[in-house]
Amino acid sequence: MHPRAAEFGERARERYDADVDVLEFDASTETAAAAADALGCETGAIASTIIVSLSRGDDEARRGSGGRAPPDDLVAAITSGANRLDLDAVADHFGADAAEMGDPDRIREVVGWSIGGVPPVCHDAALPTVFDPTLTEYDTVYGAAGTPNAVFVVEPETLAGLADATVVDLTD
């Protein structure tokens, strides 16, 4: 097993007392469509984790001389692979002026995982998280497990609970 996928499994056990079933594939699972193809499931059953950067009117003041906003400018959205995240709805939900896809380097620095393998849980920093209600239509969903070739199997209600996520539709 890839060391990062194994690390994800260890973190899940340590943090949540959850014994997750990590599946690895030769082919990439970094997009919802690719993961669904590898798993033989509907794209909607893929729990994609998208890290979003929020902008607020006071961001410049909060940054100070360091040039970077603090980690609280990032939020996580766990969406069904069949849906597209509405960034304006995310900004509105979190009371921000705007929202954009997070910077890959910043995501790696704050969350601890790289794009293409960002799991919905086991982040280095606690992020406010929203959960797409479409995922609750499935008995089982699949989230990234730390690498572009690994996923884990979980019930959607369990995943929302582990992520301490608010279930709200912020998709197009």
Side-chain angles (χ1 to χ4, degrees), residues 7-8 15 25 42 73 87 107 165 169:
E7 179 183 349
F8 170 77
R15 290 186 186 180
F25 298 89
E42 292 180 35
D73 68 328
L87 292 172
I107 291 168
D169 187 1

Side-chain angles (χ1 to χ4, degrees), residues 43-108:
T43 305
I46 303 303
S48 299
T49 303
I50 302 167
I51 307 299
V52 176
S53 179
L54 302 176
S55 299
R56 294 184 171 86
D58 63 346
D59 276 353
E60 284 305 315
R62 289 177 29 227
R63 286 185 185 144
S65 62
R68 284 208 135 145
D72 64 352
D73 68 328
L74 296 179
V75 298
I78 303 169
T79 64
S80 166
N83 293 337
R84 181 181 166 107
L85 186 63
D86 180 342
L87 292 172
D88 291 335
V90 172
D92 288 345
H93 179 77
F94 287 102
D97 294 330
E100 63 185 13
M101 301 299 277
D103 174 74
D105 291 334
R106 180 125 170 85
I107 291 168
R108 175 72 176 109

Side-chain angles (χ1 to χ4, degrees), residues 74-146:
L74 296 179
V75 298
I78 303 169
T79 64
S80 166
N83 293 337
R84 181 181 166 107
L85 186 63
D86 180 342
L87 292 172
D88 291 335
V90 172
D92 288 345
H93 179 77
F94 287 102
D97 294 330
E100 63 185 13
M101 301 299 277
D103 174 74
D105 291 334
R106 180 125 170 85
I107 291 168
R108 175 72 176 109
E109 173 188 327
V110 174
V111 179
W113 303 98
S114 297
I115 288 182
V118 176
V121 295
C122 298
H123 301 157
D124 287 351
L127 300 179
T129 303
V130 292
F131 190 87
D132 182 350
T134 302
L135 291 166
T136 64
E137 297 171 9
Y138 296 91
D139 293 332
T140 301
V141 296
Y142 305 88

